[in-house]
PDB file of all heavy atoms in Angstrom:
ATOM      1  N   SER A   1      16.638  -8.423   3.120  1.00 90.00           N
ATOM      2  CA  SER A   1      15.792  -8.499   1.932  1.00 90.00           C
ATOM      3  C   SER A   1      14.365  -8.882   2.289  1.00 90.00           C
ATOM      4  O   SER A   1      13.397  -8.266   1.815  1.00 90.00           O
ATOM      5  CB  SER A   1      16.376  -9.507   0.939  1.00 90.00           C
ATOM      6  OG  SER A   1      15.539  -9.656  -0.189  1.00 90.00           O
ATOM      7  N   VAL A   2      14.208  -9.907   3.141  1.00 88.00           N
ATOM      8  CA  VAL A   2      12.865 -10.356   3.511  1.00 88.00           C
ATOM      9  C   VAL A   2      12.131  -9.270   4.289  1.00 88.00           C
ATOM     10  O   VAL A   2      10.959  -8.959   4.021  1.00 88.00           O
ATOM     11  CB  VAL A   2      12.949 -11.654   4.335  1.00 88.00           C
ATOM     12  CG1 VAL A   2      11.575 -12.033   4.884  1.00 88.00           C
ATOM     13  CG2 VAL A   2      13.506 -12.793   3.481  1.00 88.00           C
ATOM     14  N   ALA A   3      12.831  -8.661   5.263  1.00 88.00           N
ATOM     15  CA  ALA A   3      12.208  -7.580   6.037  1.00 88.00           C
ATOM     16  C   ALA A   3      11.874  -6.394   5.139  1.00 88.00           C
ATOM     17  O   ALA A   3      10.827  -5.739   5.296  1.00 88.00           O
ATOM     18  CB  ALA A   3      13.153  -7.143   7.157  1.00 88.00           C
ATOM     19  N   ASN A   4      12.738  -6.138   4.181  1.00 87.00           N
ATOM     20  CA  ASN A   4      12.549  -5.056   3.227  1.00 87.00           C
ATOM     21  C   ASN A   4      11.268  -5.273   2.406  1.00 87.00           C
ATOM     22  O   ASN A   4      10.478  -4.348   2.181  1.00 87.00           O
ATOM     23  CB  ASN A   4      13.783  -5.027   2.321  1.00 87.00           C
ATOM     24  CG  ASN A   4      13.812  -3.869   1.375  1.00 87.00           C
ATOM     25  OD1 ASN A   4      13.898  -2.729   1.797  1.00 87.00           O
ATOM     26  ND2 ASN A   4      13.747  -4.155   0.088  1.00 87.00           N
ATOM     27  N   ASP A   5      11.048  -6.523   1.977  1.00 85.00           N
ATOM     28  CA  ASP A   5       9.860  -6.830   1.180  1.00 85.00           C
ATOM     29  C   ASP A   5       8.584  -6.646   1.996  1.00 85.00           C
ATOM     30  O   ASP A   5       7.572  -6.148   1.489  1.00 85.00           O
ATOM     31  CB  ASP A   5       9.944  -8.276   0.658  1.00 85.00           C
ATOM     32  CG  ASP A   5      11.024  -8.435  -0.407  1.00 85.00           C
ATOM     33  OD1 ASP A   5      11.398  -7.434  -1.020  1.00 85.00           O
ATOM     34  OD2 ASP A   5      11.508  -9.573  -0.592  1.00 85.00           O
ATOM     35  N   VAL A   6       8.631  -7.057   3.262  1.00 83.00           N
ATOM     36  CA  VAL A   6       7.452  -6.901   4.120  1.00 83.00           C
ATOM     37  C   VAL A   6       7.052  -5.434   4.220  1.00 83.00           C
ATOM     38  O   VAL A   6       5.871  -5.076   4.135  1.00 83.00           O
ATOM     39  CB  VAL A   6       7.732  -7.484   5.522  1.00 83.00           C
ATOM     40  CG1 VAL A   6       6.596  -7.134   6.486  1.00 83.00           C
ATOM     41  CG2 VAL A   6       7.918  -8.994   5.443  1.00 83.00           C
ATOM     42  N   ALA A   7       8.058  -4.552   4.398  1.00 81.00           N
ATOM     43  CA  ALA A   7       7.770  -3.122   4.528  1.00 81.00           C
ATOM     44  C   ALA A   7       7.187  -2.554   3.236  1.00 81.00           C
ATOM     45  O   ALA A   7       6.320  -1.663   3.276  1.00 81.00           O
ATOM     46  CB  ALA A   7       9.035  -2.372   4.914  1.00 81.00           C
ATOM     47  N   LYS A   8       7.632  -3.074   2.086  1.00 81.00           N
ATOM     48  CA  LYS A   8       7.126  -2.545   0.807  1.00 81.00           C
ATOM     49  C   LYS A   8       5.648  -2.854   0.603  1.00 81.00           C
ATOM     50  O   LYS A   8       4.944  -2.138  -0.106  1.00 81.00           O
ATOM     51  CB  LYS A   8       7.952  -3.120  -0.354  1.00 81.00           C
ATOM     52  CG  LYS A   8       9.328  -2.482  -0.502  1.00 81.00           C
ATOM     53  CD  LYS A   8      10.064  -3.013  -1.713  1.00 81.00           C
ATOM     54  CE  LYS A   8      10.459  -4.455  -1.561  1.00 81.00           C
ATOM     55  NZ  LYS A   8      11.300  -4.959  -2.654  1.00 81.00           N
ATOM     56  N   TYR A   9       5.163  -3.924   1.245  1.00 76.00           N
ATOM     57  CA  TYR A   9       3.753  -4.260   1.093  1.00 76.00           C
ATOM     58  C   TYR A   9       2.860  -3.125   1.588  1.00 76.00           C
ATOM     59  O   TYR A   9       1.781  -2.874   1.047  1.00 76.00           O
ATOM     60  CB  TYR A   9       3.413  -5.539   1.862  1.00 76.00           C
ATOM     61  CG  TYR A   9       4.255  -6.739   1.524  1.00 76.00           C
ATOM     62  CD1 TYR A   9       4.362  -7.815   2.405  1.00 76.00           C
ATOM     63  CD2 TYR A   9       4.968  -6.802   0.321  1.00 76.00           C
ATOM     64  CE1 TYR A   9       5.139  -8.921   2.097  1.00 76.00           C
ATOM     65  CE2 TYR A   9       5.746  -7.906   0.018  1.00 76.00           C
ATOM     66  CZ  TYR A   9       5.835  -8.957   0.906  1.00 76.00           C
ATOM     67  OH  TYR A   9       6.610 -10.046   0.616  1.00 76.00           O
ATOM     68  N   PHE A  10       3.321  -2.432   2.648  1.00 73.00           N
ATOM     69  CA  PHE A  10       2.519  -1.344   3.208  1.00 73.00           C
ATOM     70  C   PHE A  10       2.437  -0.151   2.256  1.00 73.00           C
ATOM     71  O   PHE A  10       1.572   0.701   2.397  1.00 73.00           O
ATOM     72  CB  PHE A  10       3.114  -0.886   4.544  1.00 73.00           C
ATOM     73  CG  PHE A  10       2.831  -1.824   5.672  1.00 73.00           C
ATOM     74  CD1 PHE A  10       3.725  -2.835   5.993  1.00 73.00           C
ATOM     75  CD2 PHE A  10       1.660  -1.723   6.403  1.00 73.00           C
ATOM     76  CE1 PHE A  10       3.465  -3.712   7.030  1.00 73.00           C
ATOM     77  CE2 PHE A  10       1.391  -2.605   7.445  1.00 73.00           C
ATOM     78  CZ  PHE A  10       2.294  -3.608   7.764  1.00 73.00           C
ATOM     79  N   ALA A  11       3.358  -0.091   1.309  1.00 72.00           N
ATOM     80  CA  ALA A  11       3.322   1.005   0.346  1.00 72.00           C
ATOM     81  C   ALA A  11       2.420   0.687  -0.829  1.00 72.00           C
ATOM     82  O   ALA A  11       1.572   1.497  -1.226  1.00 72.00           O
ATOM     83  CB  ALA A  11       4.737   1.306  -0.146  1.00 72.00           C
ATOM     84  N   ILE A  12       2.552  -0.508  -1.401  1.00 75.00           N
ATOM     85  CA  ILE A  12       1.899  -0.756  -2.686  1.00 75.00           C
ATOM     86  C   ILE A  12       0.514  -1.394  -2.559  1.00 75.00           C
ATOM     87  O   ILE A  12      -0.390  -1.095  -3.344  1.00 75.00           O
ATOM     88  CB  ILE A  12       2.814  -1.622  -3.586  1.00 75.00           C
ATOM     89  CG1 ILE A  12       2.349  -1.520  -5.047  1.00 75.00           C
ATOM     90  CG2 ILE A  12       2.887  -3.037  -3.109  1.00 75.00           C
ATOM     91  CD1 ILE A  12       3.345  -2.062  -6.039  1.00 75.00           C
ATOM     92  N   ILE A  13       0.300  -2.252  -1.557  1.00 76.00           N
ATOM     93  CA  ILE A  13      -1.001  -2.938  -1.469  1.00 76.00           C
ATOM     94  C   ILE A  13      -2.145  -1.963  -1.170  1.00 76.00           C
ATOM     95  O   ILE A  13      -3.186  -1.992  -1.847  1.00 76.00           O
ATOM     96  CB  ILE A  13      -0.936  -4.087  -0.446  1.00 76.00           C
ATOM     97  CG1 ILE A  13      -0.019  -5.188  -0.991  1.00 76.00           C
ATOM     98  CG2 ILE A  13      -2.330  -4.649  -0.156  1.00 76.00           C
ATOM     99  CD1 ILE A  13       0.166  -6.373  -0.068  1.00 76.00           C
ATOM    100  N   PRO A  14      -2.006  -1.059  -0.157  1.00 76.00           N
ATOM    101  CA  PRO A  14      -3.107  -0.090   0.036  1.00 76.00           C
ATOM    102  C   PRO A  14      -3.357   0.768  -1.196  1.00 76.00           C
ATOM    103  O   PRO A  14      -4.506   1.085  -1.520  1.00 76.00           O
ATOM    104  CB  PRO A  14      -2.608   0.764   1.216  1.00 76.00           C
ATOM    105  CG  PRO A  14      -1.629  -0.094   1.920  1.00 76.00           C
ATOM    106  CD  PRO A  14      -0.953  -0.886   0.858  1.00 76.00           C
ATOM    107  N   ALA A  15      -2.278   1.148  -1.888  1.00 71.00           N
ATOM    108  CA  ALA A  15      -2.428   1.993  -3.077  1.00 71.00           C
ATOM    109  C   ALA A  15      -3.195   1.267  -4.179  1.00 71.00           C
ATOM    110  O   ALA A  15      -3.985   1.877  -4.910  1.00 71.00           O
ATOM    111  CB  ALA A  15      -1.053   2.409  -3.583  1.00 71.00           C
ATOM    112  N   MET A  16      -2.990  -0.037  -4.303  1.00 68.00           N
ATOM    113  CA  MET A  16      -3.648  -0.791  -5.364  1.00 68.00           C
ATOM    114  C   MET A  16      -5.142  -0.953  -5.119  1.00 68.00           C
ATOM    115  O   MET A  16      -5.964  -0.867  -6.027  1.00 68.00           O
ATOM    116  CB  MET A  16      -3.020  -2.189  -5.479  1.00 68.00           C
ATOM    117  CG  MET A  16      -1.684  -2.215  -6.183  1.00 68.00           C
ATOM    118  SD  MET A  16      -1.123  -3.907  -6.330  1.00 68.00           S
ATOM    119  CE  MET A  16      -2.477  -4.631  -7.213  1.00 68.00           C
ATOM    120  N   PHE A  17      -5.505  -1.201  -3.870  1.00 70.00           N
ATOM    121  CA  PHE A  17      -6.880  -1.611  -3.583  1.00 70.00           C
ATOM    122  C   PHE A  17      -7.746  -0.515  -2.968  1.00 70.00           C
ATOM    123  O   PHE A  17      -8.913  -0.757  -2.685  1.00 70.00           O
ATOM    124  CB  PHE A  17      -6.864  -2.819  -2.637  1.00 70.00           C
ATOM    125  CG  PHE A  17      -6.295  -4.056  -3.252  1.00 70.00           C
ATOM    126  CD1 PHE A  17      -5.003  -4.461  -2.977  1.00 70.00           C
ATOM    127  CD2 PHE A  17      -7.061  -4.813  -4.135  1.00 70.00           C
ATOM    128  CE1 PHE A  17      -4.478  -5.601  -3.545  1.00 70.00           C
ATOM    129  CE2 PHE A  17      -6.532  -5.959  -4.709  1.00 70.00           C
ATOM    130  CZ  PHE A  17      -5.236  -6.357  -4.426  1.00 70.00           C
ATOM    131  N   VAL A  18      -7.163   0.677  -2.757  1.00 68.00           N
ATOM    132  CA  VAL A  18      -7.919   1.703  -2.039  1.00 68.00           C
ATOM    133  C   VAL A  18      -9.187   2.122  -2.780  1.00 68.00           C
ATOM    134  O   VAL A  18     -10.203   2.466  -2.161  1.00 68.00           O
ATOM    135  CB  VAL A  18      -7.023   2.926  -1.737  1.00 68.00           C
ATOM    136  CG1 VAL A  18      -6.704   3.702  -3.015  1.00 68.00           C
ATOM    137  CG2 VAL A  18      -7.679   3.820  -0.692  1.00 68.00           C
ATOM    138  N   THR A  19      -9.149   2.079  -4.134  1.00 67.00           N
ATOM    139  CA  THR A  19     -10.360   2.472  -4.884  1.00 67.00           C
ATOM    140  C   THR A  19     -11.441   1.410  -4.783  1.00 67.00           C
ATOM    141  O   THR A  19     -12.637   1.720  -4.865  1.00 67.00           O
ATOM    142  CB  THR A  19     -10.017   2.712  -6.371  1.00 67.00           C
ATOM    143  OG1 THR A  19      -9.409   1.530  -6.902  1.00 67.00           O
ATOM    144  CG2 THR A  19      -9.071   3.898  -6.520  1.00 67.00           C
ATOM    145  N   LEU A  20     -11.037   0.136  -4.638  1.00 68.00           N
ATOM    146  CA  LEU A  20     -12.002  -0.944  -4.506  1.00 68.00           C
ATOM    147  C   LEU A  20     -12.467  -1.113  -3.066  1.00 68.00           C
ATOM    148  O   LEU A  20     -13.632  -1.413  -2.806  1.00 68.00           O
ATOM    149  CB  LEU A  20     -11.385  -2.260  -5.006  1.00 68.00           C
ATOM    150  CG  LEU A  20     -10.961  -2.286  -6.487  1.00 68.00           C
ATOM    151  CD1 LEU A  20     -10.280  -3.605  -6.812  1.00 68.00           C
ATOM    152  CD2 LEU A  20     -12.170  -2.073  -7.393  1.00 68.00           C
ATOM    153  N   TYR A  21     -11.524  -0.945  -2.140  1.00 68.00           N
ATOM    154  CA  TYR A  21     -11.825  -1.090  -0.714  1.00 68.00           C
ATOM    155  C   TYR A  21     -11.310   0.151   0.011  1.00 68.00           C
ATOM    156  O   TYR A  21     -10.180   0.178   0.511  1.00 68.00           O
ATOM    157  CB  TYR A  21     -11.153  -2.347  -0.146  1.00 68.00           C
ATOM    158  CG  TYR A  21     -11.538  -3.619  -0.849  1.00 68.00           C
ATOM    159  CD1 TYR A  21     -10.702  -4.188  -1.803  1.00 68.00           C
ATOM    160  CD2 TYR A  21     -12.745  -4.265  -0.560  1.00 68.00           C
ATOM    161  CE1 TYR A  21     -11.049  -5.368  -2.453  1.00 68.00           C
ATOM    162  CE2 TYR A  21     -13.103  -5.431  -1.201  1.00 68.00           C
ATOM    163  CZ  TYR A  21     -12.255  -5.982  -2.146  1.00 68.00           C
ATOM    164  OH  TYR A  21     -12.601  -7.139  -2.788  1.00 68.00           O
ATOM    165  N   PRO A  22     -12.111   1.199   0.071  1.00 71.00           N
ATOM    166  CA  PRO A  22     -11.668   2.459   0.672  1.00 71.00           C
ATOM    167  C   PRO A  22     -11.145   2.301   2.094  1.00 71.00           C
ATOM    168  O   PRO A  22     -10.294   3.076   2.541  1.00 71.00           O
ATOM    169  CB  PRO A  22     -12.928   3.325   0.637  1.00 71.00           C
ATOM    170  CG  PRO A  22     -13.738   2.768  -0.500  1.00 71.00           C
ATOM    171  CD  PRO A  22     -13.490   1.306  -0.479  1.00 71.00           C
ATOM    172  N   GLY A  23     -11.639   1.295   2.802  1.00 68.00           N
ATOM    173  CA  GLY A  23     -11.186   1.095   4.175  1.00 68.00           C
ATOM    174  C   GLY A  23      -9.696   0.817   4.287  1.00 68.00           C
ATOM    175  O   GLY A  23      -9.087   1.004   5.340  1.00 68.00           O
ATOM    176  N   LEU A  24      -9.057   0.359   3.180  1.00 65.00           N
ATOM    177  CA  LEU A  24      -7.616   0.069   3.210  1.00 65.00           C
ATOM    178  C   LEU A  24      -6.773   1.339   3.298  1.00 65.00           C
ATOM    179  O   LEU A  24      -5.564   1.272   3.494  1.00 65.00           O
ATOM    180  CB  LEU A  24      -7.201  -0.727   1.961  1.00 65.00           C
ATOM    181  CG  LEU A  24      -7.674  -2.186   1.899  1.00 65.00           C
ATOM    182  CD1 LEU A  24      -7.250  -2.816   0.582  1.00 65.00           C
ATOM    183  CD2 LEU A  24      -7.101  -2.981   3.061  1.00 65.00           C
ATOM    184  N   GLY A  25      -7.424   2.481   3.166  1.00 67.00           N
ATOM    185  CA  GLY A  25      -6.676   3.737   3.249  1.00 67.00           C
ATOM    186  C   GLY A  25      -5.979   3.906   4.581  1.00 67.00           C
ATOM    187  O   GLY A  25      -4.962   4.601   4.685  1.00 67.00           O
ATOM    188  N   VAL A  26      -6.511   3.258   5.646  1.00 70.00           N
ATOM    189  CA  VAL A  26      -5.868   3.384   6.966  1.00 70.00           C
ATOM    190  C   VAL A  26      -4.490   2.730   6.989  1.00 70.00           C
ATOM    191  O   VAL A  26      -3.683   3.008   7.869  1.00 70.00           O
ATOM    192  CB  VAL A  26      -6.767   2.759   8.062  1.00 70.00           C
ATOM    193  CG1 VAL A  26      -8.095   3.485   8.147  1.00 70.00           C
ATOM    194  CG2 VAL A  26      -6.983   1.265   7.817  1.00 70.00           C
ATOM    195  N   LEU A  27      -4.233   1.833   6.030  1.00 69.00           N
ATOM    196  CA  LEU A  27      -2.915   1.184   5.963  1.00 69.00           C
ATOM    197  C   LEU A  27      -1.868   2.042   5.260  1.00 69.00           C
ATOM    198  O   LEU A  27      -0.699   1.680   5.221  1.00 69.00           O
ATOM    199  CB  LEU A  27      -3.028  -0.164   5.231  1.00 69.00           C
ATOM    200  CG  LEU A  27      -3.876  -1.240   5.932  1.00 69.00           C
ATOM    201  CD1 LEU A  27      -3.900  -2.502   5.088  1.00 69.00           C
ATOM    202  CD2 LEU A  27      -3.326  -1.539   7.321  1.00 69.00           C
ATOM    203  N   ASN A  28      -2.302   3.173   4.721  1.00 70.00           N
ATOM    204  CA  ASN A  28      -1.344   4.068   4.057  1.00 70.00           C
ATOM    205  C   ASN A  28      -0.585   4.862   5.122  1.00 70.00           C
ATOM    206  O   ASN A  28      -0.690   6.076   5.228  1.00 70.00           O
ATOM    207  CB  ASN A  28      -2.076   5.004   3.090  1.00 70.00           C
ATOM    208  CG  ASN A  28      -1.110   5.869   2.282  1.00 70.00           C
ATOM    209  OD1 ASN A  28       0.090   5.590   2.226  1.00 70.00           O
ATOM    210  ND2 ASN A  28      -1.639   6.927   1.672  1.00 70.00           N
ATOM    211  N   VAL A  29       0.154   4.106   5.944  1.00 72.00           N
ATOM    212  CA  VAL A  29       0.835   4.717   7.089  1.00 72.00           C
ATOM    213  C   VAL A  29       1.935   5.685   6.667  1.00 72.00           C
ATOM    214  O   VAL A  29       2.372   6.517   7.459  1.00 72.00           O
ATOM    215  CB  VAL A  29       1.424   3.623   8.005  1.00 72.00           C
ATOM    216  CG1 VAL A  29       0.304   2.816   8.646  1.00 72.00           C
ATOM    217  CG2 VAL A  29       2.373   2.713   7.238  1.00 72.00           C
ATOM    218  N   MET A  30       2.406   5.572   5.418  1.00 75.00           N
ATOM    219  CA  MET A  30       3.457   6.471   4.951  1.00 75.00           C
ATOM    220  C   MET A  30       2.896   7.805   4.458  1.00 75.00           C
ATOM    221  O   MET A  30       3.652   8.737   4.204  1.00 75.00           O
ATOM    222  CB  MET A  30       4.258   5.818   3.812  1.00 75.00           C
ATOM    223  CG  MET A  30       4.965   4.533   4.202  1.00 75.00           C
ATOM    224  SD  MET A  30       5.993   3.925   2.844  1.00 75.00           S
ATOM    225  CE  MET A  30       6.267   2.240   3.334  1.00 75.00           C
ATOM    226  N   GLY A  31       1.594   7.857   4.285  1.00 77.00           N
ATOM    227  CA  GLY A  31       1.003   9.088   3.778  1.00 77.00           C
ATOM    228  C   GLY A  31       1.448   9.408   2.371  1.00 77.00           C
ATOM    229  O   GLY A  31       1.750  10.563   2.031  1.00 77.00           O
ATOM    230  N   LEU A  32       1.499   8.384   1.506  1.00 76.00           N
ATOM    231  CA  LEU A  32       1.946   8.573   0.131  1.00 76.00           C
ATOM    232  C   LEU A  32       0.903   9.363  -0.660  1.00 76.00           C
ATOM    233  O   LEU A  32      -0.301   9.241  -0.430  1.00 76.00           O
ATOM    234  CB  LEU A  32       2.212   7.219  -0.520  1.00 76.00           C
ATOM    235  CG  LEU A  32       3.249   6.350   0.228  1.00 76.00           C
ATOM    236  CD1 LEU A  32       3.410   5.013  -0.447  1.00 76.00           C
ATOM    237  CD2 LEU A  32       4.596   7.062   0.341  1.00 76.00           C
ATOM    238  N   ALA A  33       1.374  10.177  -1.610  1.00 78.00           N
ATOM    239  CA  ALA A  33       0.543  11.184  -2.279  1.00 78.00           C
ATOM    240  C   ALA A  33      -0.626  10.573  -3.042  1.00 78.00           C
ATOM    241  O   ALA A  33      -1.791  10.909  -2.805  1.00 78.00           O
ATOM    242  CB  ALA A  33       1.404  12.036  -3.213  1.00 78.00           C
ATOM    243  N   THR A  34      -0.339   9.668  -3.979  1.00 81.00           N
ATOM    244  CA  THR A  34      -1.378   9.070  -4.822  1.00 81.00           C
ATOM    245  C   THR A  34      -1.062   7.596  -5.015  1.00 81.00           C
ATOM    246  O   THR A  34       0.070   7.157  -4.796  1.00 81.00           O
ATOM    247  CB  THR A  34      -1.418   9.742  -6.213  1.00 81.00           C
ATOM    248  OG1 THR A  34      -0.182   9.454  -6.891  1.00 81.00           O
ATOM    249  CG2 THR A  34      -1.604  11.250  -6.095  1.00 81.00           C
ATOM    250  N   PRO A  35      -2.044   6.786  -5.443  1.00 80.00           N
ATOM    251  CA  PRO A  35      -1.763   5.374  -5.725  1.00 80.00           C
ATOM    252  C   PRO A  35      -0.635   5.193  -6.746  1.00 80.00           C
ATOM    253  O   PRO A  35       0.232   4.341  -6.570  1.00 80.00           O
ATOM    254  CB  PRO A  35      -3.107   4.856  -6.254  1.00 80.00           C
ATOM    255  CG  PRO A  35      -4.119   5.721  -5.594  1.00 80.00           C
ATOM    256  CD  PRO A  35      -3.493   7.076  -5.527  1.00 80.00           C
ATOM    257  N   GLU A  36      -0.653   5.982  -7.826  1.00 85.00           N
ATOM    258  CA  GLU A  36       0.401   5.856  -8.835  1.00 85.00           C
ATOM    259  C   GLU A  36       1.763   6.207  -8.252  1.00 85.00           C
ATOM    260  O   GLU A  36       2.775   5.549  -8.517  1.00 85.00           O
ATOM    261  CB  GLU A  36       0.088   6.747 -10.041  1.00 85.00           C
ATOM    262  CG  GLU A  36      -1.007   6.212 -10.949  1.00 85.00           C
ATOM    263  CD  GLU A  36      -1.111   6.997 -12.244  1.00 85.00           C
ATOM    264  OE1 GLU A  36      -0.445   8.055 -12.343  1.00 85.00           O
ATOM    265  OE2 GLU A  36      -1.833   6.565 -13.148  1.00 85.00           O
ATOM    266  N   SER A  37       1.798   7.266  -7.445  1.00 87.00           N
ATOM    267  CA  SER A  37       3.059   7.669  -6.823  1.00 87.00           C
ATOM    268  C   SER A  37       3.576   6.582  -5.892  1.00 87.00           C
ATOM    269  O   SER A  37       4.777   6.298  -5.849  1.00 87.00           O
ATOM    270  CB  SER A  37       2.869   8.979  -6.053  1.00 87.00           C
ATOM    271  OG  SER A  37       4.039   9.311  -5.336  1.00 87.00           O
ATOM    272  N   ALA A  38       2.672   5.952  -5.134  1.00 84.00           N
ATOM    273  CA  ALA A  38       3.078   4.890  -4.210  1.00 84.00           C
ATOM    274  C   ALA A  38       3.682   3.711  -4.958  1.00 84.00           C
ATOM    275  O   ALA A  38       4.725   3.167  -4.570  1.00 84.00           O
ATOM    276  CB  ALA A  38       1.868   4.437  -3.394  1.00 84.00           C
TER     277      ALA A  38
END
């Protein structure tokens, strides 16, 4: 569960802040389609 939560951060945190901090786009290691989709 704990490891699972850590991995989920890489999905949702870049998606949330990418419009405010474009540099966070490099953390979108999963290549998710859009922030809403992520």
Side-chain angles (χ1 to χ4, degrees):
S1 177
V2 173
N4 186 65
D5 290 338
V6 171
K8 284 184 292 186
Y9 305 159
F10 284 92
I12 197 167
I13 292 179
M16 283 183 57
F17 293 101
V18 71
T19 56
L20 299 176
Y21 303 100
L24 289 177
V26 298
L27 295 180
N28 185 15
V29 294
M30 299 185 197
L32 303 178
T34 65
E36 285 190 351
S37 174

